[in-house]
């Protein structure tokens, strides 16, 4: 009887290879690709994105990283337009405000109505968030869900290094006048009073905070939401520019090109005393194991107590061609973004507060708790305002016009506040 051992071994090897290829094929069929365009690239933001990536990979999908650095998102929007025009849009993208409506009019967005109905999106959001997204059309186009709200941020925060304040003998400011007094003491003590990055959107964020302080919530709304041309050029706006210009002397000369998270690191490493930035900055403190109330303080921008300038991040979904598994993965992504557990874990890393009303805040720090309290109080008192510097209430054209005027003014030591206010009004009128 012939020895068939070698033949059996060959067949087993062949069957094993076939089985491996079959399993690999089935895995490929079951695995959809998820590609989300975003600009969450700082340490804290990357940790937050890691929460989403892990969820998607656990659900059997392939996560294709599509992060474009740049806190303002301008570079990301350029890349998105190129991808969409070429017929290869990503699964979803971090989009804001009226840009969502523009992409919808162009026919690029897909409906999430089925997911929204299954997950009861109409009833799980904080009532105040529901009012915002409906009023500003942040998640629907033509009556259909095309986006999911993900984070709620407070923009008008002043971050403080208490150690430097103590060394300088400075007092935590509650008014703009007190801010400048504290800044002078800190500068005299040899520290940078105001950590800032020389990027146009950061200039606009600082300007927005000063404008809210000088104008109040109603005056801010009239100028930057209603786009009242008189309010954009009157004496109060001149005062906004004047106070904004004073900030420049407390920024170090090396700020040009500095990213916002690098400015936050200056506070973390005892190089600077203050930063005016949204609460995504808190994610950077958390990534360095800093404790709110001890290693750093969060207080409203001086003069904006009781007001809440908000930034609401939304993920918008695009029509996909071909691969059904990618479409299944897209639906799974949409379903995940508003689940209570994801909302909790993501916002803990991101520094934001959750948009759902049923997420327990027991693990949140003092800054997040203060943010939620301030949000609800501001909503009750008609003191919630959308952040124009983060493109919520205006078109991209209007936002760009405002930012150009503001940033050029901040960089020009000879700039006249009265002239700047007139230029602002003219620029907005041309962009409308």
């Amino acid at each position: 009887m012939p020895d068939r051992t070698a033949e059996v071994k060959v067949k087993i090897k062949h069957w094993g290879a076939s089985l491996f290829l079959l399993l690999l094929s089935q895995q490929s069929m079951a695995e959809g690709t998820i590609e989300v365009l975003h600009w969450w690239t700082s340490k804290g933001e990357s940790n937050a994105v890691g929460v989403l990536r892990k969820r998607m990979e656990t659900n059997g999908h392939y996560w294709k990283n599509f992060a474009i650095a740049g806190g303002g998102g301008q570079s990301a929007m350029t890349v998105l337009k190129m991808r969409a025009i070429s017929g290869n849009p990503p699964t979803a993208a971090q989009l804001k405000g009226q840009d969502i409506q523009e992409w919808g009019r162009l026919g690029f967005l897909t409906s999430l109505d089925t997911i929204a109905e299954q997950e009861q999106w109409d009833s799980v959001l904080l009532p105040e968030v529901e009012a915002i997204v409906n009023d500003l059309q942040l998640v629907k186009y033509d009556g259909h869900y095309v986006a999911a709200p993900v984070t709620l941020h407070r923009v008008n925060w002043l971050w403080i290094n208490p150690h430097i304040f103590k060394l300088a003998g400075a007092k935590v400011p509650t008014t703009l006048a007190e801010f400048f007094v504290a800044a002078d003491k800190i500068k005299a003590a040899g520290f940078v009073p105001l950590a800032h990055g020389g990027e146009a959107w950061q200039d606009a964020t600082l300007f927005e905070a000063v404008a809210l302080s000088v104008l109040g919530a109603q005056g801010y709304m009239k100028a930057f939401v209603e786009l009242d041309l008189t309010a954009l050029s009157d004496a109060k706006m001149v005062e906004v520019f004047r106070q904004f210009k004073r900030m420049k002397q407390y920024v170090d000369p090396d700020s040009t090109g500095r990213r916002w998270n690098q400015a936050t690191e200056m506070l973390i490493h005892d190089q600077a005393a203050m930063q005016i930035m949204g609460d995504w900055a808190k994610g950077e403190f958390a990534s360095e194991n800093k404790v709110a109330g001890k290693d750093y303080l969060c207080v409203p921008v001086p003069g904006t107590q009781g007001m809440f300038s908000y930034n609401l991040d939304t993920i918008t979904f695009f029509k996909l061609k071909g691969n059904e598994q990618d479409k299944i993965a897209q639906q799974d992504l949409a379903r995940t973004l508003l689940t209570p557990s994801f909302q909790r874990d993501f916002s803990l890393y991101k520094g934001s507060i959750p948009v759902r009303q049923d997420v327990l805040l027991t693990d949140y720090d003092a800054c997040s708790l203060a943010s939620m309290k301030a949000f609800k109080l501001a909503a009750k008192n008609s003191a919630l305002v959308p952040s124009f510097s983060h493109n919520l209430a205006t078109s991209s054209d209007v936002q760009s016009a405002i930012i150009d005027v503001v940033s050029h003014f901040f960089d020009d030591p000879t700039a006249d506040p009265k002239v700047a206010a007139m230029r602002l009004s003219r620029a907005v009128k041309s962009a409308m």
Side-chain angles (χ1 to χ4, degrees):
M1 187 174 181
D3 184 2
R4 305 180 63 87
T5 302
E7 182 180 348
V8 170
K9 286 182 178 180
V10 170
K11 287 185 177 181
I12 290 174
K13 185 176 181 181
H14 175 72
W15 291 337
S18 298
L19 179 61
F20 173 77
L21 290 173
L22 177 62
L23 291 173
L24 183 63
S25 174
Q26 290 177 338
Q27 182 183 15
S28 298
M29 290 177 62
E31 190 179 71
T33 296
I34 292 176
E35 191 177 20
V36 181
L37 174 64
H38 63 88
W39 52 91
W40 293 324
T41 56
S42 74
K43 191 179 297 183
E45 290 172 330
S46 295
N47 289 337
V49 173
V51 172
L52 182 56
R53 175 175 183 167
K54 186 175 180 180
R55 295 289 178 100
M56 294 297 95
E57 290 177 342
T58 299
N59 290 352
H61 307 303
Y62 172 68
W63 179 272
K64 187 175 181 180
N65 195 38
F66 195 8
I68 305 294
Q74 290 87 352
S75 297
M77 291 303 96
T78 300
V79 174
L80 178 60
K81 289 174 184 177
M82 293 173 60
R83 284 283 301 270
I85 291 172
S86 67
N88 182 34
T91 308
Q94 183 185 354
L95 283 180
K96 295 288 188 67
Q98 292 185 19
D99 285 349
I100 295 174
Q101 301 304 308
E102 182 62 27
W103 284 100
R105 285 190 288 270
L106 293 172
F108 283 103
L109 306 183
T110 191
S111 173
L112 303 176
D113 286 347
T114 300
I115 302 297
E117 183 177 358
Q118 291 172 349
E119 300 298 316
Q120 300 179 317
W121 286 4
D122 286 335
S123 60
V124 301
L125 295 178
L126 289 163
E128 300 87 353
V129 171
E130 180 74 23
I132 288 170
V133 297
N134 287 336
D135 183 44
L136 298 182
Q137 296 182 298
L138 299 182
V139 295
K140 290 182 179 179
Y141 172 73
D142 197 23
H144 299 284
Y145 275 101
V146 294
V150 182
T151 65
L152 176 65
H153 287 285
R154 189 182 194 184
V155 182
N156 60 312
W157 276 123
L158 173 66
W159 304 94
I160 286 176
N161 179 313
H163 176 61
I164 293 179
F165 262 69
K166 185 176 180 179
L167 291 175
K171 173 187 170 186
V172 174
T174 59
T175 65
L176 281 179
E178 290 178 0
F179 174 90
F180 294 122
V181 170
D184 283 333
K185 288 186 176 182
I186 292 162
K187 191 172 184 178
F191 297 99
V192 175
L194 184 62
H196 185 67
E199 296 177 310
W201 75 268
Q202 291 189 63
D203 294 339
T205 300
L206 181 59
F207 178 84
E208 174 180 296
V210 175
L212 187 59
S213 180
V214 173
L215 302 177
Q218 301 311 310
Y220 174 98
M221 291 290 288
K222 191 172 184 179
F224 298 107
V225 178
E226 298 172 22
L227 301 179
D228 183 292
L229 298 180
T230 300
L232 286 165
S233 60
D234 65 13
K236 287 187 177 180
M237 190 60 67
V238 173
E239 179 63 11
V240 172
F241 275 100
R242 192 179 75 82
Q243 297 290 351
F244 175 57
K245 191 67 173 182
R246 291 183 68 187
M247 295 280 181
K248 184 72 172 183
Q249 62 185 304
Y250 302 109
V251 176
D252 67 291
D254 297 327
S255 66
T256 304
R258 179 186 294 142
R259 293 181 178 172
W260 70 266
N261 54 302
Q262 293 173 322
T264 306
E265 288 172 4
M266 293 174 67
L267 272 70
I268 293 172
H269 299 301
D270 291 337
Q271 297 169 348
M274 295 181 283
Q275 181 186 20
I276 291 176
M277 186 54 60
D279 54 15
W280 46 91
K282 190 163 70 69
E284 303 308 297
F285 288 108
S287 70
E288 296 290 338
N289 298 315
K290 300 299 181 181
V291 179
K294 177 187 174 185
D295 300 312
Y296 65 96
L297 306 178
C298 55
V299 298
V301 168
T304 70
Q305 294 85 342
M307 293 175 267
F308 193 109
S309 173
Y310 63 85
N311 178 28
L312 191 72
D313 283 317
T314 50
I315 299 296
T316 305
F317 289 72
F318 284 75
K319 289 180 180 177
L320 300 179
K321 298 177 181 178
N323 193 334
E324 288 301 316
Q325 296 306 319
D326 288 350
K327 295 179 182 178
I328 292 172
Q330 183 184 59
Q331 293 173 357
D332 196 20
L333 172 65
R335 187 177 291 107
T336 297
L337 291 175
L338 272 174
T339 57
S341 61
F342 173 76
Q343 279 283 305
R344 174 191 172 278
D345 294 346
F346 188 83
S347 59
L348 281 172
Y349 281 111
K350 187 71 162 55
S352 56
I353 52 179
V355 297
R356 283 186 68 114
Q357 59 181 290
D358 56 355
V359 178
L360 297 177
L361 302 181
T362 51
D363 294 331
Y364 286 73
D365 63 26
C367 292
S368 291
L369 295 176
S371 187
M372 181 64 84
K373 182 179 179 180
F375 174 66
K376 289 182 173 294
L377 183 62
K380 183 178 179 180
N381 296 329
S382 300
L384 279 180
V385 301
S387 170
F388 78 76
S389 65
H390 293 85
N391 199 24
L392 281 187
T394 64
S395 67
S396 293
D397 289 341
V398 170
Q399 183 206 29
S400 295
I402 295 173
I403 289 178
D404 283 347
V405 172
V406 166
S407 190
H408 282 114
F409 172 83
F410 200 57
D411 290 338
D412 181 0
T414 65
D416 183 337
K418 189 175 292 187
V419 173
M422 289 188 292
R423 285 177 177 169
L424 179 64
S425 183
R426 287 199 299 266
V428 169
K429 182 179 180 180
S430 297
M432 290 171 62

